[in-house]
Amino acid sequence: MAVPKRKMSRSNTRSRRAQWKTAAVATVPCPQCKSAKLPHAACSVCGTYKGRQVLEV
């Protein structure tokens, strides 16, 4: 099993953690109503997916 040989200092730990960043959610325009929606998902405004109605809105 991989076990660290020495304790990592606070500054090394914190500088490593500082590189973890969140990414903005990618959105695409809906082809029907042009509102922003998640890719590969039904539009929450008009309820269409791939040109057909899938949700009752």
Side-chain angles (χ1 to χ4, degrees):
M1 227 169 42
V3 178
K5 194 162 262 197
R6 300 216 188 285
K7 181 179 179 177
M8 188 173 273
S9 68
R10 281 187 193 154
S11 64
N12 281 349
T13 302
R14 290 173 181 165
S15 65
R16 186 186 72 246
R17 284 183 186 153
Q19 299 305 313
W20 283 78
K21 297 173 184 71
T22 58
V25 177
T27 57
V28 295
C30 174
Q32 299 286 353
C33 65
K34 307 297 186 229
S35 65
K37 70 174 193 76
L38 293 173
H40 308 287
C43 179
S44 59
V45 177
C46 63
T48 58
Y49 181 69
K50 290 192 177 179
R52 58 192 172 94
Q53 192 72 25
V54 293
L55 296 174
E56 292 284 329
V57 181

